[in-house]
Amino acid sequence: MSFSLSAKYDSLSAFLESRAPNEPEFHQAVSEVIDDIKPIIDQSDAYKAANIFERLVEPERMISFQVAWQTDAGEIEVNRGYRVQFNGAIGAYKGGLRFHPTVNPSVLKFLAFEQTFKNALTGLPMGGAKGGSDFDPTGRSEAEIMRFCGAFMQELHRHIGPDIDVPAGDINVGGREIGYLFGAYRRITGHFQGVLTGKDESYAGSAMRTEATGYGVMYFLSDMLEAHDDGLDGKTVIISGAGNVATYAAEKAIALGGKVISLSDSSGFVHDPEGLTQEKIDWVRAHKSKPGASLQPYVDKFGGDWSEGKTPWGLEGDIAAPCATQNELDGDAAKTLVKNGIKAVIEGANMPSTTDAKEVFQSKKVLFAPGKAANAGGVAVSGLEISQNRKRQSDDAEDIDASLRTIMSNIHAACVEEGKRDGHVDYTKGANVAGLRKVADAMVAQGVA
Ligand code: NDP
């Protein structure tokens, strides 16, 4: 496809190399939406006149800061903290914080870019952002994690607020870290306000936020299967990851009649041919809450097989749900899954499938739900947490779960509506186009300074 979105560049790669050199993950995320959004922009005089493309791929603001903190041994360590406020056209910025050694501007820009589309799909007024640090919590004591969170907030508090930017958790930032971050914010500013989501219910958190991403993934999968005259009941599900998204996706898959046969972490994967149960999932959550704990002892406790350093994509199953991290499922893994008869792939993580893997699934007409649609349940319930904080009220779990179910169905319907392609539904196109229209319309309406 010729690239005519910007008169200044001959190709998308020339544009990205010039504007964002050495940012492979960000290039990947933009390249993967361009074929879907380009025709929509090309057809709209208003979008072209507003130069929507160039504005959509440039963060509105990127903050990078020093985080100096003290270890238990009294040594001072220095990490780098970031907040990328990508697009605020439809609401205050919203997106998670990730603590992982792989965090860098490219990873955060890709995540914040995807978050912009995802937040738009929820139908709630939230702009796209992402942040975090290259801090590695593995092997750190609880006191060190608390001090790190305090030091991180020492700078971040200047850039966030209920009407500005409301961060949440992501990899290695769960309920405990959100608590430390919120405590630090409150002590620094003196304000108790809804400046973070994913808070505990004891201090203005929302029911169901912990479960929301994983449950939402399986709600979306149910809708996708139902739209294709199928269902989750009796299906074998291969899940990667062993964190928040993976374990709640597993829990809901089982509740909806599926048999989950794997979980994984950065040290390898468990194959449990008997299928996971609630008891096994509860054990995984408790065990994995210890910093640096490997999933390997699962097999000593419950049986099954452990494969060190491998991913679960060689297993046979009906559904694959990558729920760990970006680019964890490559083209070869996709070919193996297809050979083994996979029916649907649902992304719980953000961009877990490589571009090659997506091409394999698309060419073989495997049902494929991209993360920006399938895992939007987490940020959707974060949006509901913001509303509850505004009202100074708490809704009960049943109501929140019902709202989550409705939001996921609405996202599914939007993907079907916008994703029609050659007699089938291309969910990626649907998510990209539906997200774009909402954000671009708001950008056009607001003009430029
Ligand atoms: P957690 O930190 O709770 O869990 C992450 C899991 O992924 C862990 O099992 C971890 O293993 C594994 N993992 C991390 N990096 C790698 C790697 N390089 N290779 C293999 N395994 C890895 O994070 P979440 O469950 O919250 O997030 C998982 C994914 O879902 C991320 O892509 C995140 O952006 C996305 N997401 C999360 C949302 C949320 O609400 N939490 C919302 C929407 C998307 P180990 O324990 O060994 O590190």
Side-chain angles (χ1 to χ4, degrees):
M1 182 178 62
S2 70
F3 179 73
S4 62
L5 289 169
S6 171
K8 284 177 257 158
Y9 302 94
D10 297 334
S11 67
L12 178 63
S13 54
F15 172 79
L16 290 170
E17 260 322 310
S18 162
R19 299 293 297 162
N22 306 316
E23 295 185 351
E25 292 85 0
F26 180 59
H27 291 197
Q28 183 183 344
V30 175
S31 303
E32 287 181 6
V33 303
I34 194 74
D35 287 354
D36 295 330
I37 66 172
K38 184 176 180 297
I40 309 295
I41 296 176
D42 280 347
Q43 283 157 21
S44 164
D45 290 341
Y47 291 176
K48 279 189 290 192
N51 198 0
I52 290 297
F53 172 71
E54 282 195 52
R55 291 167 62 204
L56 199 65
V57 297
E58 182 71 24
E60 291 178 355
R61 193 169 299 99
M62 265 186 87
I63 300 137
S64 162
F65 52 94
Q66 180 191 115
V67 187
W69 61 283
Q70 198 165 28
T71 67
D72 289 343
E75 284 163 7
I76 307 294
E77 294 206 10
V78 180
N79 286 98
R80 197 166 285 167
Y82 304 92
R83 188 68 181 162
V84 182
Q85 296 173 334
F86 212 101
N87 188 302
I90 65 166
Y93 304 108
K94 181 93 199 86
L97 297 171
R98 176 178 293 192
F99 293 166
H100 198 272
T102 56
V103 164
N104 59 39
S106 171
V107 167
L108 293 180
K109 278 176 68 181
F110 117 64
L111 288 165
F113 179 70
E114 293 250 310
Q115 192 82 40
T116 301
F117 288 78
K118 184 187 309 189
N119 292 2
L121 287 170
T122 66
L124 300 172
M126 300 181 288
K130 205 80 189 186
S133 172
D134 58 0
F135 171 68
D136 185 356
T138 312
R140 299 297 187 181
S141 72
E142 184 132 358
E144 287 177 324
I145 288 172
M146 183 170 71
R147 281 198 294 279
F148 178 81
C149 289
F152 184 81
M153 190 53 82
Q154 203 67 40
E155 173 63 28
L156 187 72
H157 82 274
R158 289 175 227 287
H159 311 289
I160 61 176
D163 294 316
I164 302 168
D165 184 355
V166 184
D170 191 72
I171 291 178
N172 289 329
V173 179
R176 174 182 58 187
E177 291 75 18
I178 292 291
Y180 295 151
L181 290 162
F182 186 80
Y185 179 86
R186 195 173 61 76
R187 285 186 288 273
I188 294 165
T189 65
H191 293 293
F192 189 112
Q193 49 188 5
V195 74
L196 290 163
T197 59
K199 303 187 292 298
D200 190 77
E201 286 182 69
S202 63
Y203 62 95
S206 173
M208 299 295 300
R209 175 59 188 90
T210 314
E211 295 87 344
T213 308
Y215 280 21
V217 165
M218 288 300 151
Y219 290 151
F220 193 98
L221 176 65
S222 293
D223 286 349
M224 184 164 82
L225 292 174
E226 201 180 303
H228 293 82
D229 302 319
D230 206 344
L232 194 44
D233 199 27
K235 293 284 187 303
T236 300
V237 186
I238 306 164
I239 296 183
S240 68
N244 173 272
V245 180
T247 58
Y248 285 101
E251 188 173 294
K252 186 52 80 177
I254 295 166
L256 295 173
K259 180 180 179 186
V260 177
I261 58 161
S262 68
L263 288 177
S264 73
D265 66 11
S266 42
S267 59
F269 81 89
V270 166
H271 175 210
D272 184 344
E274 301 288 307
L276 272 78
T277 59
Q278 191 62 48
E279 183 204 351
K280 294 174 183 178
I281 293 170
D282 290 344
W283 180 87
V284 169
R285 273 192 206 119
H287 175 70
K288 288 293 294 179
S289 70
K290 298 169 212 148
S294 157
L295 201 52
Q296 194 274 333
Y298 179 101
V299 294
D300 303 331
K301 189 151 178 69
F302 299 113
D305 302 309
W306 172 252
S307 299
E308 182 76 20
K310 299 229 163 70
T311 56
W313 313 125
L315 297 175
E316 285 183 25
D318 303 303
I319 313 287
C323 295
T325 194
Q326 65 267 11
N327 293 328
E328 55 164 313
L329 198 170
D330 63 15
D332 288 340
K335 283 182 198 148
T336 306
L337 285 167
V338 168
K339 182 166 69 65
N340 288 341
I342 204 77
K343 294 185 172 65
V345 177
I346 178 119
E347 293 191 326
N350 285 314
M351 209 168 76
S353 313
T354 63
T355 307
D356 288 352
K358 282 176 205 158
E359 280 167 12
V360 171
F361 295 136
Q362 195 163 23
S363 70
K364 299 292 177 190
K365 301 264 187 311
V366 172
L367 282 177
F368 178 83
K372 61 171 79 86
N375 70 29
V379 74
V381 172
S382 277
L384 302 179
E385 184 173 336
I386 292 173
S387 307
Q388 293 170 81
N389 289 171
R390 292 272 172 182
K391 292 183 289 177
R392 297 181 193 276
Q393 283 173 4
S394 301
D395 298 334
D396 63 30
E398 243 173 66
D399 291 342
I400 302 274
D401 195 29
S403 299
L404 171 64
R405 187 76 194 84
T406 304
I407 291 170
M408 296 315 295
S409 287
N410 291 344
I411 297 174
H412 179 267
C415 290
V416 171
E417 169 74 23
E418 298 280 13
K420 295 189 183 88
R421 192 196 286 277
D422 309 330
H424 77 284
V425 180
D426 177 342
Y427 283 86
T428 306
K429 176 185 167 205
N432 289 336
V433 173
L436 169 80
R437 284 197 207 281
K438 177 140 194 221
V439 176
D441 287 349
M443 289 168 74
V444 169
Q446 292 170 34
V448 289

